[in-house]
C-alpha cells in the first residue's frame, strides 16, 4: 500500500526560529494536506495543495507540493509557543478512492519559549 | 453548527465488553469517515459513508467492528468483544462531496481496553 515517510520525527527549537519538515511518498498523490494535532484532539487542517509545484501560504505557514507529486514540505516561520503539537502530512488520490487520506507518522514540534 | 462532535471523549472498558461510539458530522456534509490512531502513528482509514451507504471498509475493520449511518446524519461505531489491541483514538471526520478542501475531524474518542 501507499506509505508516507515524514521527517524529522521530532524537533525541539527556540521560539522565533524557523522550522521545516517534509514528507515523501512511494507513489503519486493528487492532493497534499498538512494537519496539526494538539494532545487529545483531532487533526486540524492547516494547508491544502492541489497542483504539482504549488506553493501556498497560511500566515506563518508555507507549504509546497513537489513537482514529482511524491513529496511536500511545510515551513513555519518565526515559531511561537502555540506552534507546539504534532504535524501530519496526508496524501489524497483522485478517482475512485479520492475520499481516503494516507497519513504520515507525524513530526512532534516542541518550542522552547 | 460548531463542527464534528464525538461522544464519548474517553471510554475505559474491560476486555470482552462491547462499546459504541457516536459521531455527529457537520450538517451539510454528506461524507463521513472513521479513522483509528494509535500512539505515535498517523490516523488510519477504517470506513467511509456517502449519506447512509457504507462504501468502503478497510481490512483493519475486523468482524468485531461495525459502523452505521442509518439516516445519513450521525454515525455509530461499535466494537464487540473488545481486545487490548483495540485501544486507540477513534476519529470521525466529515466532508462535502468534493473532499478537495480536506476533512473536518472531530476531537476523537480515546478507548482504553483493560
Amino acid at each position: 500500500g501507499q506509505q508516507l515517510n515524514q521527517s524529522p520525527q521530532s524537533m525541539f527549537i527556540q521560539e522565533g526560529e524557523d522550522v521545516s519538515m517534509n514528507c515523501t511518498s512511494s507513489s503519486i498523490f493528487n492532493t497534499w494536506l498538512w494537519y496539526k494535532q494538539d494532545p487529545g484532539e483531532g487533526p486540524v487542517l492547516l494547508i491544502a495543495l492541489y497542483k504539482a509545484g504549488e506553493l501556498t501560504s497560511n500566515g506563518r505557514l508555507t507549504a509546497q507540493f513537489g513537482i514529482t507529486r511524491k513529496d511536500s514540505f511545510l515551513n513555519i516561520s518565526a515559531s511561537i509557543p502555540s506552534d507546539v503539537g504534532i504535524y501530519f502530512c496526508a496524501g489524497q488520490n483522485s478517482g475512485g478512492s479520492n475520499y481516503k487520506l494516507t497519513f504520515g507518522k507525524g513530526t512532534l514540534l516542541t518550542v522552547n519559549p | 453548527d460548531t463542527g464534528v462532535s464525538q461522544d464519548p471523549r474517553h471510554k475505559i472498558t474491560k476486555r470482552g465488553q462491547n462499546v459504541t461510539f457516536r459521531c455527529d458530522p457537520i450538517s451539510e456534509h454528506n461524507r463521513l469517515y472513521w479513522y483509528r490512531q494509535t500512539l505515535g502513528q498517523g490516523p488510519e482509514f477504517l470506513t467511509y459513508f456517502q449519506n447512509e451507504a457504507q462504501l468502503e471498509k478497510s481490512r483493519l475493520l475486523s468482524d468485531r467492528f461495525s459502523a452505521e449511518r442509518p439516516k445519513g446524519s450521525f454515525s455509530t461505531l461499535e466494537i464487540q468483544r473488545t481486545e487490548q489491541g483495540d485501544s486507540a483514538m477513534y476519529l470521525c471526520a466529515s466532508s462535502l462531496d468534493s473532499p478537495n478542501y480536506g476533512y473536518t475531524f472531530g476531537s476523537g474518542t480515546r478507548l482504553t481496553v483493560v
Side-chain angles (χ1 to χ4, degrees):
Chain A
Q2 293 173 316
Q3 290 188 334
L4 293 186
N5 296 309
Q6 192 170 345
S7 64
Q9 283 188 323
S10 61
M11 302 181 75
F12 188 94
I13 62 170
Q14 295 295 121
E15 183 177 359
E17 289 184 355
D18 296 345
V19 170
S20 186
M21 59 192 77
N22 66 60
C23 211
T24 59
S25 169
S26 56
S27 53
I28 287 170
F29 286 108
N30 291 303
T31 300
W32 282 92
L33 305 159
W34 285 92
Y35 284 86
K36 178 177 182 252
Q37 187 173 30
D38 292 327
E41 298 295 327
V44 174
L45 182 65
L46 299 173
I47 289 182
L49 302 155
Y50 304 110
K51 245 171 100 170
E54 179 182 354
L55 186 72
T56 296
S57 293
N58 178 8
R60 294 178 296 106
L61 276 59
T62 302
Q64 184 155 30
F65 191 148
I67 290 289
T68 65
R69 294 197 284 157
K70 289 186 178 183
D71 63 309
S72 178
F73 72 74
L74 175 71
N75 286 344
I76 305 172
S77 62
S79 58
I80 59 178
S82 62
D83 290 334
V84 165
I86 304 177
Y87 291 79
F88 289 99
C89 61
Q92 186 175 24
N93 287 321
S94 62
S97 62
N98 67 349
Y99 48 81
K100 197 184 304 186
L101 298 185
T102 301
F103 283 84
K105 291 188 177 182
T107 294
L108 173 62
L109 178 63
T110 304
V111 180
N112 191 30
Chain B
D1 198 351
T2 55
V4 179
S5 295
Q6 291 191 246
D7 183 68
R9 291 294 308 273
H10 304 274
K11 178 72 177 178
I12 299 175
T13 190
K14 290 185 177 177
R15 192 171 47 189
Q17 297 292 307
N18 299 343
V19 294
T20 299
F21 311 140
R22 177 180 170 121
C23 171
D24 287 273
I26 292 173
S27 56
E28 60 265 30
H29 286 182
N30 57 346
R31 293 188 176 194
L32 186 146
Y33 318 83
W34 286 97
Y35 279 72
R36 181 171 71 186
Q37 185 178 24
T38 53
L39 207 58
Q41 303 293 319
E44 293 177 291
F45 173 81
L46 290 180
T47 191
Y48 152 63
F49 288 86
Q50 174 92 21
N51 300 311
E52 66 275 10
Q54 187 175 19
L55 297 186
E56 185 173 344
K57 288 172 61 172
S58 161
R59 56 184 167 76
L60 292 175
L61 223 60
S62 75
D63 290 345
R64 297 183 297 105
F65 288 71
S66 62
E68 294 183 344
R69 195 182 181 197
K71 295 182 181 177
S73 57
F74 74 91
S75 175
T76 57
L77 178 67
E78 182 184 14
I79 309 174
Q80 296 183 326
R81 304 180 304 281
T82 51
E83 302 172 355
Q84 286 189 319
D86 297 332
S87 296
M89 173 81 94
Y90 289 85
L91 292 162
C92 176
S94 67
S95 76
L96 295 168
D97 257 342
S98 171
N100 279 348
Y101 298 102
Y103 302 170
T104 301
F105 280 90
S107 296
T109 295
R110 168 74 64 189
L111 173 67
T112 303
V113 182
V114 298

